Amino acid sequence: MHLDHEHPHTHPHEHPEHGHPCGGHIHCGEQMDCASCGQDPKAEALALMRYMVGHNTQHANELAVLAKRLDEMGDHAAFEQVMQAVGDFEKGNLRLSAVLASLDHT
């Protein structure tokens, strides 16, 4: 689930390149109802999965920058914890990428 939140980066949370073909926009975590507008649900799922993999990568990178700042401030314990979280993001993203690759080939 992707909650509304504030963070220092500038990417928008509505992404026109991933807009719903009916004219709406897919927001992080929003349910897709492609059957009602005649769009291919698999194509929509693939588009959302591609977006999420990129989005997660961006967040992992932002967390790594934050970790570095914490380390520079002298809080090495916080740095270690945030970097472990970055690793968790990356592991999850590897799983999502594998699912995406298998969906792309079916």
Side-chain angles (χ1 to χ4, degrees), residues 30-66:
E30 183 177 314
Q31 296 292 330
M32 296 179 295
D33 183 15
C34 305
S36 65
C37 65
Q39 296 300 314
D40 177 15
K42 182 178 178 183
E44 282 291 310
L46 285 170
L48 183 57
M49 183 73 79
R50 282 185 200 101
Y51 159 73
M52 290 303 297
V53 167
H55 190 78
N56 290 345
T57 298
Q58 184 175 6
H59 279 296
N61 291 337
E62 292 165 344
L63 284 170
V65 169
L66 173 61

